Amino acid sequence: MGTTDANEHRCLEDLVHRNGELADLIRDPRHGESASPVAFRRGHAMAAAEKVTSGLASPDQLVIWAQAVHFEEHLDIEEGHQDLLTQFLVENSIPELFEPVPVMSAIVGYASCG
């Protein structure tokens, strides 16, 4: 992986892991150009939900983050959990289409899978 590819890959990883300020992660144009896929795992979904329950992020920030991750082309969703993780991203990125789910129930549900 060349330096440019490595930087683009790192930008996408930062978005998935939410390493940094959300506004900066969303604005970075390089995250959509990663040459190699970045893994999206159950732990990423749980960490995002826990940020909301702990008050470190607002529900609106979860929506923005889920939208950005959901529409990434170079995302490799954890094998065996594609349906669950895709559902997490869809329901959080388009919350107006779904009934509200208590966040703690979602965390417990995701934690118990696997």
Side-chain angles (χ1 to χ4, degrees):
M1 191 180 313
T3 303
T4 302
D5 289 344
N7 288 340
E8 292 166 355
H9 185 81
R10 183 72 204 156
C11 290
L12 180 53
E13 278 187 355
D14 285 344
L15 175 65
V16 169
H17 291 274
R18 194 141 175 225
N19 294 332
E21 290 296 320
L22 183 58
D24 295 336
L25 297 171
I26 301 300
R27 250 194 316 262
D28 193 330
R30 295 176 296 171
H31 71 78
E33 302 172 6
S34 179
S36 60
V38 170
F40 181 68
R41 306 200 179 294
R42 290 170 290 160
H44 299 125
M46 288 176 48
E50 286 173 349
K51 281 190 179 208
V52 174
T53 60
S54 67
L56 296 174
S58 70
D60 288 341
Q61 288 174 318
L62 178 63
V63 170
I64 293 166
W65 173 83
Q67 287 172 345
V69 173
H70 180 226
F71 293 110
E72 266 306 325
E73 292 181 24
H74 301 286
L75 201 62
D76 184 20
I77 298 178
E78 182 178 6
E79 192 169 323
H81 301 282
Q82 291 95 340
D83 290 344
L84 178 70
L85 292 172
T86 300
Q87 179 181 353
F88 174 85
L89 290 173
V90 168
E91 289 183 9
N92 283 289
S93 65
I94 318 169
E96 60 273 10
L97 297 181
F98 301 94
E99 301 247 349
V101 176
V103 176
M104 284 310 294
S105 296
I107 291 172
V108 170
Y110 294 119
S112 65
C113 295

